Amino acid sequence: MSNDSASASAAGGRGPGPAQRLAVLSGPSGVGKSTVVREIRARHPEVWLSVSVTTRPPRPGETDGVEYRFTDDAGFDSMIARGELLEWARFAGNRYGTPRAPVEERLRSGQPVLLEIDLQGARQVRETMPEALQVFLAPPSWDELVRRLTGRGTEPPEVIQRRLDTAGVELTAEKEFDATLVNTSVDEVRERLLALLGLDGG
Ligand SMILES: Nc1ncnc2c1ncn2[C@@H]1O[C@H](COP(=O)(O)OP(=O)(O)OP(=O)(O)O)[C@@H](O)[C@H]1O
Ligand SMILES: Nc1nc2c(ncn2[C@@H]2O[C@H](COP(=O)(O)O)[C@@H](O)[C@H]2O)c(=O)[nH]1
């Protein structure tokens, strides 16, 4: 696994400036992306998190329009056909995409925007919006990733296995990113990510 401080510094002078404040947070399922984003937004509510559209069924406690906009295959197909998605990907048997208009609107108004998306989506954004800061969240170890994904208790064993198979591939792509943060401590990652985003720690 990567060395967080060394990798984080690889971002160099790059990052969301006043005119372009888009950041992508990616990393394997269960590594802690949503946990870290929650922490960031608790301290900086002005950071806008894109609400993705997905064909995945809601988990208990998830609300349409909050964690995701839940749709069916036909709904997702028409969003693609109308060019409404900034990027989209198939992940563990479902489709996920970033609605384009709200992201563009927030960026136009100067608000910092965060996308929490998978590797395929991150690659698409790198092509279409190369100015976005791309951050990879890595687990401290493979065993810890398995523990987190299993411990979360949101997926059945076969889906966990599918996500872990994908995680093996995703971990090999870490070097494509501007910075890597190893999620050993949420507090530490929060502070490092805030620094990368040019925001005050807390
Ligand atoms: N630093 C950490 N130490 C221990 N547990 C953690 C840490 N960060 C997150 N977790 C736990 O790991 C589990 C997975 O976290 P989370 O749901 O945020 O992952 P994710 O990357 O958003 O997953 P997915 O991509 O599947 O949506 C949760 O139970 C969370 O509480
Ligand atoms: N390419 C995209 N990936 C997305 C988007 N929204 C979420 N995701 C990623 O999907 C997996 C699984 O999410 P889960 O909520 O079912 O656990 C995870 O890696 C997310 O980051 C998106 O709009 N585009």
Side-chain angles (χ1 to χ4, degrees):
M1 299 293 160
S2 38
N3 169 332
D4 58 347
S5 48
S7 304
S9 66
R14 199 144 172 247
Q20 179 49 265
R21 303 174 66 88
L22 178 62
V24 169
L25 183 65
S26 197
S29 177
V31 70
K33 299 180 296 297
S34 303
T35 306
V36 168
V37 167
R38 241 188 333 267
E39 289 276 317
I40 297 281
R41 297 199 66 243
R43 281 158 181 81
H44 284 275
E46 78 277 16
V47 175
W48 184 75
L49 175 67
S50 166
V51 179
S52 298
V53 59
T54 183
T55 60
R56 164 168 84 58
R59 292 174 184 146
E62 287 184 334
T63 307
D64 187 36
V66 178
E67 289 83 4
Y68 283 104
R69 282 168 57 188
F70 296 98
T71 188
D72 55 13
D73 273 319
F76 203 96
D77 283 342
S78 34
M79 289 189 83
I80 296 172
R82 291 197 296 262
E84 289 175 4
L85 297 179
L86 186 64
E87 60 74 35
W88 70 272
R90 290 180 198 280
F91 186 93
N94 292 298
R95 288 187 289 174
Y96 299 78
T98 303
R100 181 193 303 279
V103 170
E104 291 180 347
E105 209 174 286
R106 275 7 182 256
L107 289 174
R108 262 198 307 274
S109 70
Q111 203 174 348
V113 170
L114 200 48
L115 306 183
E116 185 197 322
I117 59 178
D118 86 324
L119 173 64
Q120 305 164 72
R123 284 176 171 160
Q124 292 169 49
V125 174
R126 196 172 296 128
E127 286 294 313
T128 55
M129 301 170 109
E131 67 281 10
L133 175 74
Q134 296 241 354
V135 179
F136 188 81
L137 195 62
S141 69
W142 179 259
D143 287 352
E144 177 60 14
L145 180 66
V146 175
R147 247 190 313 273
R148 287 181 193 174
L149 198 48
T150 311
R152 191 172 65 186
T154 48
E155 278 80 28
E158 64 275 15
V159 176
I160 290 178
Q161 191 50 56
R162 206 162 169 180
R163 287 175 180 241
L164 287 172
D165 291 345
T166 303
V169 176
E170 290 171 316
L171 288 171
T172 67
E174 177 201 319
K175 287 195 162 43
E176 295 176 17
F177 287 76
D178 298 316
T180 294
L181 299 174
V182 178
N183 184 16
T184 305
S185 144
V186 174
D187 289 352
E188 199 178 316
V189 168
R190 180 194 66 228
E191 292 308 302
R192 287 179 185 274
L193 185 53
L194 285 174
L196 286 168
L197 296 174
L199 298 168
D200 293 339

